[in-house]
Amino acid sequence: MSRFYVTTPIYYVNDAPHIGTAYTTLIGDAVCRWHRLLGDDVFYLTGTDEHGLKVQQSAEALGLDPRTMADRTSERFKQAWRQLDIANDDFIRTTEPRHYRAVAKMLTAIRDHGDIELGTYEGPYCIACEAYYTEAELIDGNCPIHLRPVEQLKEENYFFLLSRYQQPLLDWYEAHPDALQPEGKRREVISFIRQGLRDISISRTSLTWGVPIPWDERHVTYVWFEALMNYLTAIGYGDDHDRFVQWWPAVHHLMGKEIIRFHCVWWPAMLMSAGIEPPAHVLVHGWLLVGGEKMSKTRANQIAPADLVADFGVDGLRYYMLRDNAFGPDGDFSYEGMVARYNADLANNLGNLLSRVATVVGSKCGGVGPAPQHDSPLATVAADAYDATAAAWARFAPNDALDATWRLIRETNAYLETNEPWKAEPGPGVDAVMGDALEALRIVAVLASPAVPAACSEVWRRIGLPGSPADQRVPEAATWGGYPGDLPVEKGAPLFPRKAG
Ligand code: MSP
């Protein structure tokens, strides 16, 4: 059995969940659901990043202590992900004791390797990014990401001697050409490393809201430095060595493009220093833009997933997020685009197929679903759809995977339109066509279940099948001929009622 470990970034608790954070979390969820269908042993990790200046200041602004704020917001993330049908296997909070233990262990390993020194840090810092910049990186004196003023920091800090890792990192990327995707991001990271790496400050004395440095309690760990370690904490680093080595380093880290320097420069160097292999796969996606801008608290252009769920349902939102944008480039979120996508693919294609199949089986087959034909023209369409769907999920391309699955839906609708079983007399001819359409629906329910799990369970139930599509195993369950026939088919309400534009 293959192991499949996927992580999202852990989200800052100064901010509520929005569709940008939902985007990464949904992609990870859908890919993991696909791998569960394949029979893999899956571990899907998400969570919250709870320390640092940004969280402390946001809490103070609300008159809360940071822990109360972290408790509240992490609960909101958990609820949001539950609402969106995210099947994560763990939810890590960086304030948990298990994380403190893992951080202490890794920091000690890095120090024992001689890569931590005390020094003085002086320079610009963006609180919103929780990141240090050089003067040259600023744009008109402002943070290059948030375009807002930076703070000038001067402190005694511990430093991680990142500069030592320039050549080891270049060698590692050369030896692992598939470690970072897409290719453009890989080139960006390599050219950044080639320019030379500066040692990085990894502790604070001006702040108390953080994980203490194990050998010097006056300092807390710089939030990014310990947040990255969550990926190890959750699989037992420091607590359960056997478990840890089962999952690491074959991880898939998913993230937006603004945090690749941390994940693709610092993180592999930190791991090398601690004697651990760097992550096998980093997959970087673009931003979901609203009106051409990244959603953020400071721009007040955030959209809450719950608002869209109210209009489109959980699966309506899931489908749009996975289908409308390719994984990699930036994409635009628009309400109009969402209505169009929902109506075209969910209401008119999938919903319509189910309802016309159930209607004709009701009127021409006595409400009992017939078995498919072995040599149906749809059999090869289904086989091709499976191959293309599987290949797309394997390369983390949910939009292509869904496009491939939807080809089978469109072809099945076309098959019905060609044969017009609703006009024919009941008998073997109608039964054959309807058996084929039911079989296509069964396969669609399996293939689309990673994206729209509740709708697929409902399709499954309405065509009379026991259990649920998520319990199936591919490729067997996607092979033509699995619908046994002789099952009650239920008409039911429209699966995806059409939206007015
Ligand atoms: N806490 C850090 C991550 C630490 S990981 C060790 C952080 N948190 S965050 O709350 O700001 O979340 C950033 C991530 O949320 C992005 O990398 C991306 O995965 C997701 N997104 C946030 N806004 C987004 C968009 N507008 N579009 C797409 N993804 C977005 O950074």
Side-chain angles (χ1 to χ4, degrees):
M1 185 192 292
S2 296
R3 289 214 163 76
F4 192 69
Y5 177 25
V6 178
T7 68
T8 71
I10 47 172
Y11 304 113
Y12 286 127
V13 288
N14 69 306
D15 206 352
H18 56 72
I19 59 167
T21 42
Y23 177 68
T24 315
T25 316
L26 273 171
I27 292 172
D29 180 62
V31 171
C32 284
R33 284 174 181 270
W34 176 260
H35 279 262
R36 292 192 191 101
L37 286 178
L38 285 171
D40 288 352
D41 190 6
V42 172
F43 189 67
Y44 184 36
L45 176 69
T46 188
T48 40
D49 190 354
E50 306 193 355
H51 295 119
L53 198 51
K54 173 152 81 172
V55 171
Q56 181 170 303
Q57 288 187 349
S58 308
E60 278 162 9
L62 294 170
L64 297 172
D65 67 286
R67 189 169 293 274
T68 306
M69 168 135 177
D71 287 346
R72 279 188 198 170
T73 317
S74 65
E75 200 45 50
R76 288 181 73 180
F77 273 97
K78 285 184 184 167
Q79 271 169 13
W81 302 158
R82 265 198 298 274
Q83 183 185 31
L84 296 186
D85 248 347
I86 305 295
N88 51 301
D89 297 288
D90 195 354
F91 185 101
I92 186 156
R93 299 184 53 188
T94 53
T95 48
E96 289 175 68
R98 60 174 172 159
H99 186 60
Y100 278 52
R101 286 196 297 277
V103 172
K105 181 174 158 110
M106 189 166 184
L107 281 173
T108 306
I110 295 174
R111 185 176 183 236
D112 290 350
H113 196 247
D115 288 334
I116 293 182
E117 279 178 2
L118 199 58
T120 302
Y121 179 82
E122 189 167 5
Y125 187 83
C126 170
I127 298 174
C129 291
E130 293 279 17
Y132 300 97
Y133 286 100
T134 60
E135 292 295 341
E137 285 169 326
L138 304 180
I139 299 177
D140 297 331
N142 291 326
C143 161
I145 302 271
H146 293 87
L147 306 174
R148 288 194 315 162
V150 290
E151 310 282 309
Q152 286 299 323
L153 287 190
K154 183 175 181 188
E155 264 193 28
E156 182 191 74
N157 286 173
Y158 285 100
F159 282 75
F160 171 58
L161 305 184
L162 181 65
S163 54
R164 290 185 173 171
Y165 287 89
Q166 180 173 357
Q167 199 52 47
L169 284 169
L170 291 172
D171 293 345
W172 194 84
Y173 279 113
E174 171 129 25
H176 298 85
D178 299 327
L180 172 51
Q181 288 169 38
E183 180 56 30
K185 294 295 166 204
R186 176 188 158 82
R187 281 198 300 270
E188 193 180 310
V189 163
I190 290 174
S191 95
F192 176 80
I193 300 171
R194 282 216 182 99
Q195 284 166 30
L197 298 176
R198 299 184 327 144
D199 297 337
I200 52 176
S201 158
I202 61 156
S203 74
R204 288 296 163 66
T205 49
S206 56
L207 184 74
T208 51
W209 183 234
V211 185
I213 292 282
W215 60 88
D216 187 345
E217 300 268 314
R218 293 171 308 142
H219 291 247
V220 293
T221 315
Y222 166 46
V223 59
W224 262 106
F225 209 71
E226 50 99 350
L228 288 161
M229 299 177 191
N230 88 86
Y231 303 130
L232 302 190
T233 305
I235 49 169
Y237 177 74
D239 272 351
D240 183 344
H241 182 73
D242 290 347
R243 179 162 173 251
F244 172 64
V245 294
Q246 280 180 351
W247 293 102
W248 195 267
V251 65
H252 297 79
H253 288 319
L254 303 186
M255 73 201 63
K257 64 184 180 182
E258 78 285 11
I259 55 176
I260 59 175
R261 203 177 285 184
F262 301 104
H263 282 85
C264 305
V265 182
W266 295 20
W267 181 225
M270 290 161 64
L271 288 158
M272 286 177 188
S273 173
I276 304 168
E277 195 47 26
H281 309 282
V282 171
L283 297 122
V284 183
H285 63 71
W287 291 335
L288 207 53
L289 305 174
V290 178
E293 288 198 330
K294 181 172 188 265
M295 260 164 290
S296 75
K297 194 170 183 172
T298 45
R299 294 191 183 110
N301 62 350
Q302 294 176 336
I303 299 168
D307 292 344
L308 296 172
V309 167
D311 288 357
F312 296 92
V314 171
D315 283 343
L317 173 60
R318 289 179 62 106
Y319 184 78
Y320 172 76
M321 301 283 264
L322 294 164
R323 174 65 185 85
D324 228 57
N325 295 301
F327 184 100
D330 286 347
D332 264 308
F333 173 87
S334 88
Y335 196 86
E336 299 70 31
M338 202 167 167
V339 171
R341 179 62 75 183
Y342 174 97
N343 280 339
D345 291 7
L346 297 177
N348 294 355
N349 266 309
L350 177 55
N352 191 29
L353 177 61
L354 176 67
S355 102
R356 77 211 302 204
V357 168
T359 304
V360 178
V361 171
S363 62
K364 307 276 174 174
C365 315
V368 178
Q373 311 175 81
H374 290 299
D375 54 353
S376 165
L378 290 178
T380 47
V381 178
D384 291 348
Y386 174 76
D387 290 344
T389 301
W393 284 118
R395 55 170 204 278
F396 282 76
N399 64 326
D400 290 344
L402 293 171
D403 187 42
T405 301
W406 254 250
R407 242 176 277 149
L408 175 56
I409 300 176
R410 285 193 296 269
E411 292 285 334
T412 308
N413 272 320
Y415 179 69
L416 291 176
E417 274 145 32
T418 306
N419 286 287
E420 298 188 311
W422 42 84
K423 286 190 183 161
E425 286 301 316
V430 170
D431 287 355
V433 170
M434 297 322 292
D436 290 351
L438 283 160
E439 171 61 351
L441 266 174
R442 185 193 66 80
I443 293 174
V444 164
V446 174
L447 299 187
S449 65
V452 286
C456 290
S457 293
E458 183 58 11
V459 171
W460 197 258
R461 194 189 65 75
R462 287 199 199 170
I463 64 175
L465 290 164
S468 99
D471 302 331
Q472 309 305 307
R473 287 288 163 271
V474 293
E476 299 77 15
T479 306
W480 189 264
Y483 188 74
D486 238 355
L487 296 176
V489 173
E490 181 185 317
K491 174 93 172 72
L495 198 56
F496 294 105
R498 259 189 84 81
K499 299 280 160 221

